[in-house]
Amino acid sequence: NVNESESTTAGVFNTLDETANKTEEWVIKNQKSILSIIGVLAVVTLSYILYTKFIAAPKEEEAFKEMFQAQTYFQQAVDGTGKQDSLYNLALKGGEGKLGFEGIINEYSGTSAANLAEYYAGMSYLNLKNFNKAIEHLDKFSTKDQVLAALAIGAKGDAMSELNKQDDAMKLYLEAANLDDNDFITPRFLFKAANLAIAANKKDEALGYLKTIKEKYESSQEGNNIDALIATLEQ
């Protein structure tokens, strides 16, 4: 028995006791609601696990299997092993009883396969010179892979350039170049930006991009003969 007014510790424990009693009373009073909430959370969690295991995962696997033929058409078009326009169209629309990229997007919406199909569809339309459709699909594509993301952004830049939207194209090329600093992506899109600047008679801007390639990425494909191009602009 301690006089609470003379003991800080006793006061603290008494306060804790009072708080615990109030909490216990609240729990008893609301136990039905609490149990209902716990039950709902349990059902939601179990439903998510079951959905992921028995619906989402098999759907993903099925979608990627279905898309394999479209990817084959696309690669054949890129490699030039047939009539490119026909192959890109087959990749988009489907063939040999398999869906094309557009079918994958529609039938397997929300899957990783459908997301990747947006990229393939965008690149296919770009090669078919349907630039608005290319931008539409590439805008819907998302990825954490920096290289693939940069290629998609740069491809939108190509489409914008073909549509004579040079300012938009320039922004996209620079965004792609700066997204992931490497010897493949950065010089590729800096070079495209330089070409746009040259076409717009912005020589100083173009020289800036070309000199960056020379200084940092001279061993890249774009770095070949970069000196001659710089010399031409400096004359």
Side-chain angles (χ1 to χ4, degrees), residues 137-219:
H137 283 287
L138 290 168
D139 274 340
K140 295 176 182 176
F141 172 66
S142 63
T143 179
K144 293 180 180 179
D145 186 301
Q146 297 290 73
V147 172
L148 198 56
L151 289 173
I153 293 167
K156 285 194 290 183
D158 291 340
M160 288 293 187
S161 179
E162 293 290 345
L163 292 169
N164 293 318
K165 297 180 179 180
Q166 308 303 346
D167 289 342
D168 291 330
M170 178 66 80
K171 289 176 183 177
L172 289 164
Y173 286 151
L174 295 178
E175 182 183 350
N178 294 319
L179 189 63
D180 185 51
D181 188 2
N182 65 67
D183 291 342
F184 171 63
I185 293 295
T186 308
R188 175 189 179 103
F189 293 113
L190 282 177
F191 194 77
K192 287 177 179 282
N195 284 329
L196 279 187
I198 292 170
N201 201 31
K202 298 177 180 178
K203 290 186 178 182
D204 290 341
E205 186 175 339
L207 278 169
Y209 301 140
L210 294 173
K211 287 181 178 180
T212 298
I213 294 173
K214 175 178 171 54
E215 292 167 6
K216 296 184 177 181
Y217 314 100
E218 192 170 9
S219 61

